[in-house]
Amino acid sequence: MSHLHLGLLFNSPGNDPAAPQRPSDLGYYAETTRLLERARFDFVMVADVAFQDRVHPQPPRPEPITLFSALAALTSHIGLVPTLSTSFTAPFNLARQVLSLDNLSAGRAAWNVVTSSAGADNFGDTPLPPHSERYRRALEHVEVVRKLWDSWEDDAIIQQPGQRPCADPARVHPIDHRGEFYQVAGPLNAARSPQGHPVLFQAGSSEDGKAFAAHFAEAIYTAQHHIPEARRFRDDVHAQARRLGRNPAHIKILPGLSTVIGESDAAARQLNERILEGFGSDIWAALKAQLGGIELGDLDLDRPLPLERLPEVLSIEGRQSRYALFRQFAVQQRWPLRQLLELQGGSAGHGRVVGSPEQVAGHIEQWFRQGASDGFIVMPGQGADGARLFAEQVVPILQKRGLFRRDYASDTLRGHLGLPIPHSRYAAPLERAIR
Amino acid sequence: MSHLHLGLLFNSPGNDPAAPQRPSDLGYYAETTRLLERARFDFVMVADVAFQDRVHPQPPRPEPITLFSALAALTSHIGLVPTLSTSFTAPFNLARQVLSLDNLSAGRAAWNVVTSSAGADNFGDTPLPPHSERYRRALEHVEVVRKLWDSWEDDAIIQQPGQRPCADPARVHPIDHRGEFYQVAGPLNAARSPQGHPVLFQAGSSEDGKAFAAHFAEAIYTAQHHIPEARRFRDDVHAQARRLGRNPAHIKILPGLSTVIGESDAAARQLNERILEGFGSDIWAALKAQLGGIELGDLDLDRPLPLERLPEVLSIEGRQSRYALFRQFAVQQRWPLRQLLELQGGSAGHGRVVGSPEQVAGHIEQWFRQGASDGFIVMPGQGADGARLFAEQVVPILQKRGLFRRDYASDTLRGHLGLPIPHSRYAAPLERAIR
């Protein structure tokens, strides 16, 4: 049996008591990343948004490209997964920066593709297109980026000792992309990396998002709460990818997992209560900002939501899959508003496990063995402490059970995840075949 | 007398026998930067373009933001100066990445502002606007970036021990910029750095460029070949800045200086011959690409250029100031084409000093004492070797003569350059006054 995969998503600073006052203070991120590298994690990841709430500003998240470039210099094996939006970036700039990160880290970079649901007013006068057009545009954006990543073949740069390096024109290719949304000539101004392309992650589990992921995603960050649903999600993505001619084994499904770890079950539960209490009333404002379209007004926190005021999922232009989850717990479980808010605030809508290191490891093993996921993206509910407890107490149990690597068997993120190296579409077919 | 300032411009890999085969290999850049930090340099810098020649591809330059973010993690004092174009970036993204680099490096970042003369076909269907409109647009771009950098005041993030950090809404400001070219709401999604704003560098010495620089530049990278002209240039920028209400002491004029250093004058001259021979016939193609509009056809390398075929300076849409220099040497000095090409290829149009360490130090001292510059941006003609020789043999002479610092007196790039910390335009006037 192959190993499961583990990544860590850094908390947004406003949710993390351990976060540094200056959100881009390198020390905090460097220490945590080195700790996770010693625990043989596959990767670290940051979420991102390209705006700041005007009324309730939050401590800004670190900017992903700069943060991970700095971390690349301080680590040797762990993968680096920045989140970047197709809506607010030019494909040429994005392709170049992510590929440069991949080169600086000797093949450890990925791009977590998101389409963004807010922030357009920081980029001109045009509002974001509707949900489905956003995905159509995103699909073309990703395609342009992949063409640019193919524009330099392997070995396109030639260097004799003592000579200035030069480029082999036969191995550098314009892309001349002319599509519905993008016109890009190429070639890219950056050469190929040791792992071929950066790995493509995708986040967002709506129907549009799932179809989008089936086209190109190599790892999917998704919110899943129950094994049967997670298996259905995984099967569905695999089936869609197969219809597109892709090998489902090359798509790793990695649900987010919020963790609260204590010495015992009881200690963990107590800690969880304290953490959730820490999310005061300001969480309501944050939730409204997160969900975009929804407007609920002044409601009693301790009673279930009046259902007639909850919009339908497909009418939401924001984060459809996150809202669908919220709505499901509101409608089917009749959770009081406070509990719904805790789901959003404590776990950002993701699954949550609260318990001893053995219980957390057991939860992970059960999901993995039952084919509900290929691993997890850990979202520690205790800031830096949570990352340390997971690395030092949960990982050794997973290793003992033969579920997780004891050492890196590869130097690249593709290697860690068992993903193939993509060949340049512009290389001669014979050369592609023998490589 | 205040000290002179020294920066280093990394060679483009295609001009540098020491450059690594993978242009973003960190080791080469990290070693050189640490060497220069030990020599107490003010900063390192990379030039940049956002395209790749389709017919004669060159080994790509490293991408500036990723390279310098990695170098930030490996250094503690030296300034980091990425070149980024106003033509191909959204002000919001640029402001955020450069400010994030500034935070990650604890106040050592700058932005070298360029407007770009090629590459538009990697960013859509619209060609670049004419030279003067490009500068008008660039001026607004820089203004938006500065507003965004002001959008978080000092101390806008509040953190009590053990609490999640939060933001003080009274110290975070939308910018609501609505200009001729840009509409940007803000606030930025990144907080203020220890030096207030990243330092603003400007490159390009045309009349448009000079007026542009007078508005905001705090350091100017310029091509100057003779002390009287350099003094005129400096006086002119100072006068324009004074008319705009700025203090000329806060604008550092830093000409590029290509250096070839040997044990003796004769050894240096021999080495220089070898270096120039190394730039073979391909330099002609590179020159044509650099100058954009100019088309000279097949000319005899060993004869002066037919003057009637040289276009007027103002008709050039590319790099006007570089072309002006080329034209001046062609017309006034009647240099043969080969020598003109060497000026372009060996020194990228900049001044060149060839000699022993004492001679190089003497050249620098003379320019500085005569008020022709506030220091230099060194462009070593011998790749990594040239940087090492400058750091180990020229710098000690400058230190002995009291011209250059023996230790850093500051932790920020503004501190090294003697530049004031800009206060947020959105802060209360009283608060601005007492800070």
Side-chain angles (χ1 to χ4, degrees):
Chain A
M1 192 173 78
S2 70
H3 285 162
L4 63 84
H5 301 288
L6 290 175
L8 177 125
L9 181 80
F10 280 108
N11 274 304
S12 73
N15 276 352
D16 188 349
Q21 188 170 353
R22 282 196 302 124
S24 43
D25 254 341
L26 191 49
Y28 170 77
Y29 296 99
E31 273 171 42
T32 308
T33 303
R34 284 169 169 157
L35 172 85
L36 297 168
E37 187 168 71
R38 287 195 297 275
R40 312 307 185 210
F41 260 55
D42 293 74
F43 59 86
V44 286
M45 179 169 171
V46 282
D48 197 45
V49 293
F51 69 97
Q52 182 53 254
D53 194 301
R54 294 164 76 104
V55 182
H56 301 285
Q58 299 292 313
R61 298 167 181 275
E63 193 283 325
I65 287 288
T66 44
L67 176 69
F68 282 129
S69 299
L71 292 177
L74 301 175
T75 53
S76 61
H77 281 79
I78 195 163
L80 305 165
V81 187
T83 295
L84 298 160
S85 168
T86 54
S87 295
F88 306 130
T89 54
F92 192 90
N93 290 339
L94 185 142
R96 187 171 175 219
Q97 288 198 326
V98 177
L99 185 54
S100 176
L101 174 63
D102 207 21
N103 271 306
L104 288 170
S105 64
R108 297 187 280 133
W111 170 26
N112 180 37
V113 182
V114 296
T115 62
S116 298
S117 53
D121 60 357
N122 289 324
F123 297 88
D125 259 346
T126 317
L128 281 170
H131 199 264
S132 64
E133 183 188 319
R134 218 157 70 217
Y135 274 108
R136 220 167 69 243
R137 184 190 289 260
L139 205 57
E140 191 183 327
H141 188 298
V142 174
E143 185 57 12
V144 175
V145 167
R146 295 169 79 194
K147 285 181 179 176
L148 288 166
W149 286 344
D150 278 345
S151 65
W152 287 67
E153 295 181 39
D154 289 328
D155 310 320
I157 299 178
I158 304 158
Q159 189 167 35
Q160 314 285 341
Q163 302 279 306
R164 293 173 286 130
C166 63
D168 177 355
R171 291 177 186 270
V172 182
H173 308 275
I175 70 165
D176 290 324
H177 176 90
R178 305 198 66 78
E180 184 183 357
F181 301 106
Y182 297 102
Q183 290 76 44
V184 180
L188 189 58
N189 193 20
R192 221 162 138 81
S193 96
Q195 65 172 351
H197 288 187
V199 176
L200 284 168
F201 277 58
Q202 190 268 352
S205 315
S206 65
E207 287 306 313
D208 286 332
K210 216 155 35 174
F212 178 59
H215 275 92
F216 67 82
E218 302 177 296
I220 300 181
Y221 168 46
T222 174
Q224 300 294 335
H225 288 256
H226 303 290
I227 288 179
E229 282 166 24
R231 288 183 59 165
R232 271 198 297 279
F233 176 84
R234 190 160 175 253
D235 289 347
D236 185 15
V237 170
H238 284 179
Q240 288 197 41
R242 213 179 276 114
R243 282 198 293 277
L244 293 165
R246 297 186 61 203
N247 180 348
H250 298 157
I251 307 179
K252 308 299 174 184
I253 310 285
L254 305 171
L257 182 63
S258 173
T259 58
V260 178
I261 304 167
E263 279 179 34
S264 64
D265 184 40
R269 285 188 188 285
Q270 254 186 350
L271 179 60
N272 189 44
E273 285 306 306
R274 278 213 310 280
I275 292 172
L276 292 180
E277 276 164 22
F279 294 99
S281 59
D282 62 348
I283 204 169
W284 181 223
L287 173 73
K288 285 203 288 190
Q290 277 175 359
L291 289 178
I294 185 170
E295 263 303 337
L296 295 170
D298 293 325
L299 292 167
D300 186 340
L301 280 176
D302 292 311
R303 300 188 51 188
L305 280 170
L307 299 186
E308 70 282 4
R309 298 187 49 190
L310 281 172
E312 289 301 319
V313 172
L314 290 176
S315 72
I316 292 286
E317 286 296 337
R319 305 182 170 190
Q320 272 191 11
S321 57
R322 179 175 293 192
Y323 176 70
L325 201 69
F326 177 89
R327 197 176 192 286
Q328 176 192 320
F329 284 103
V331 175
Q332 292 171 13
Q333 320 270 342
R334 302 295 289 135
W335 281 9
L337 184 51
R338 189 185 300 280
Q339 200 176 343
L340 292 169
L341 297 185
E342 286 170 355
L343 171 74
Q344 291 290 329
S347 316
H350 285 267
R352 189 171 184 90
V353 55
V354 176
S356 66
E358 287 74 19
Q359 288 172 313
V360 173
H363 178 98
I364 290 172
E365 176 166 14
Q366 194 190 10
W367 276 61
F368 182 63
R369 290 206 189 273
Q370 296 193 15
S373 81
D374 297 294
F376 285 96
I377 294 179
V378 179
M379 307 162 65
Q382 299 140 285
D385 261 9
R388 190 178 52 72
L389 288 171
F390 194 100
E392 293 177 357
Q393 303 197 12
V394 179
V395 165
I397 300 172
L398 297 171
Q399 287 171 332
K400 210 169 293 168
R401 297 186 190 173
L403 293 163
F404 193 60
R405 69 176 71 84
R406 286 176 185 276
D407 212 339
Y408 289 112
S410 149
D411 298 324
T412 68
L413 179 56
R414 278 187 185 280
H416 305 338
L417 292 172
L419 297 170
I421 295 182
H423 297 297
S424 169
R425 71 189 70 191
Y426 303 109
L430 177 65
E431 206 158 336
R432 278 211 304 268
I434 60 174
R435 262 151 198 276
Chain B
M1 192 173 80
S2 70
H3 286 161
L4 63 85
H5 302 288
L6 291 174
L8 176 125
L9 181 80
F10 279 109
N11 275 304
S12 74
N15 277 353
D16 187 352
Q21 188 169 356
R22 283 195 303 121
S24 43
D25 254 340
L26 191 50
Y28 170 77
Y29 296 99
E31 273 171 42
T32 309
T33 304
R34 282 169 169 157
L35 171 85
L36 297 169
E37 189 169 69
R38 287 195 298 274
R40 312 307 185 211
F41 260 56
D42 293 75
F43 59 87
V44 286
M45 180 169 170
V46 282
D48 197 46
V49 293
F51 69 97
Q52 183 53 254
D53 194 299
R54 294 164 77 104
V55 182
H56 302 285
Q58 299 294 312
R61 296 167 183 275
E63 193 283 323
I65 286 288
T66 45
L67 175 69
F68 282 128
S69 300
L71 292 177
L74 301 175
T75 52
S76 60
H77 280 78
I78 196 165
L80 304 165
V81 186
T83 295
L84 298 160
S85 168
T86 54
S87 295
F88 305 131
T89 54
F92 192 90
N93 290 339
L94 186 141
R96 187 172 175 218
Q97 288 197 327
V98 177
L99 186 54
S100 176
L101 174 63
D102 206 22
N103 272 305
L104 288 169
S105 63
R108 295 187 282 133
W111 170 25
N112 179 37
V113 182
V114 297
T115 62
S116 299
S117 53
D121 60 358
N122 289 324
F123 298 89
D125 260 345
T126 317
L128 280 170
H131 199 263
S132 63
E133 183 187 320
R134 219 158 69 217
Y135 274 108
R136 220 167 69 241
R137 184 191 289 262
L139 204 56
E140 189 182 329
H141 188 299
V142 173
E143 184 57 13
V144 175
V145 167
R146 294 168 81 195
K147 285 181 179 176
L148 288 166
W149 286 343
D150 278 344
S151 66
W152 287 67
E153 295 180 38
D154 289 327
D155 310 321
I157 299 178
I158 303 158
Q159 190 167 34
Q160 314 286 341
Q163 302 280 307
R164 295 174 285 131
C166 64
D168 177 355
R171 291 177 186 269
V172 183
H173 308 275
I175 69 165
D176 290 324
H177 176 90
R178 304 198 67 77
E180 183 181 358
F181 301 106
Y182 297 102
Q183 290 75 43
V184 180
L188 189 59
N189 193 19
R192 220 164 138 81
S193 95
Q195 65 173 353
H197 288 187
V199 177
L200 285 168
F201 277 57
Q202 191 268 352
S205 316
S206 66
E207 288 306 314
D208 285 332
K210 219 160 25 178
F212 179 58
H215 274 92
F216 66 80
E218 303 177 295
I220 300 181
Y221 169 47
T222 175
Q224 301 295 335
H225 288 257
H226 304 290
I227 288 179
E229 282 167 24
R231 287 182 61 163
R232 270 197 297 280
F233 176 84
R234 191 159 174 254
D235 290 346
D236 185 16
V237 170
H238 284 180
Q240 288 197 40
R242 215 179 275 113
R243 281 198 293 277
L244 293 164
R246 297 186 61 205
N247 180 348
H250 297 158
I251 308 179
K252 308 299 174 183
I253 310 286
L254 305 171
L257 181 64
S258 174
T259 58
V260 178
I261 304 167
E263 279 179 35
S264 63
D265 184 40
R269 286 188 187 285
Q270 254 187 352
L271 178 61
N272 188 43
E273 284 307 307
R274 281 214 309 281
I275 291 172
L276 292 179
E277 277 164 22
F279 294 98
S281 59
D282 61 349
I283 204 170
W284 183 222
L287 174 73
K288 285 204 289 189
Q290 276 174 2
L291 290 179
I294 184 169
E295 264 303 339
L296 296 170
D298 293 323
L299 293 168
D300 187 340
L301 279 177
D302 292 310
R303 300 190 48 190
L305 280 170
L307 298 187
E308 69 282 4
R309 295 185 54 188
L310 280 172
E312 289 300 319
V313 172
L314 289 176
S315 72
I316 292 287
E317 285 296 337
R319 305 183 171 192
Q320 272 190 10
S321 57
R322 179 175 294 193
Y323 176 71
L325 201 69
F326 178 89
R327 198 175 191 286
Q328 176 192 321
F329 285 103
V331 175
Q332 292 172 11
Q333 322 270 341
R334 299 298 287 138
W335 280 9
L337 184 52
R338 189 185 301 279
Q339 202 176 344
L340 291 170
L341 297 184
E342 287 171 354
L343 171 73
Q344 292 291 328
S347 316
H350 285 266
R352 191 172 182 89
V353 55
V354 176
S356 66
E358 286 74 18
Q359 288 172 313
V360 173
H363 178 98
I364 290 173
E365 177 166 12
Q366 194 190 10
W367 276 61
F368 182 63
R369 290 206 189 272
Q370 297 192 15
S373 80
D374 298 294
F376 285 96
I377 294 180
V378 178
M379 307 163 65
Q382 299 142 285
D385 261 9
R388 192 178 51 71
L389 287 172
F390 194 99
E392 293 177 357
Q393 301 195 16
V394 179
V395 165
I397 301 172
L398 297 172
Q399 287 170 331
K400 210 168 294 168
R401 298 186 189 173
L403 293 163
F404 193 59
R405 68 174 73 84
R406 286 176 186 275
D407 211 340
Y408 289 112
S410 148
D411 298 325
T412 67
L413 179 55
R414 279 187 186 279
H416 305 338
L417 292 172
L419 297 170
I421 295 181
H423 296 296
S424 168
R425 70 189 72 190
Y426 304 109
L430 177 64
E431 206 158 336
R432 278 212 304 268
I434 60 173
R435 266 155 195 275

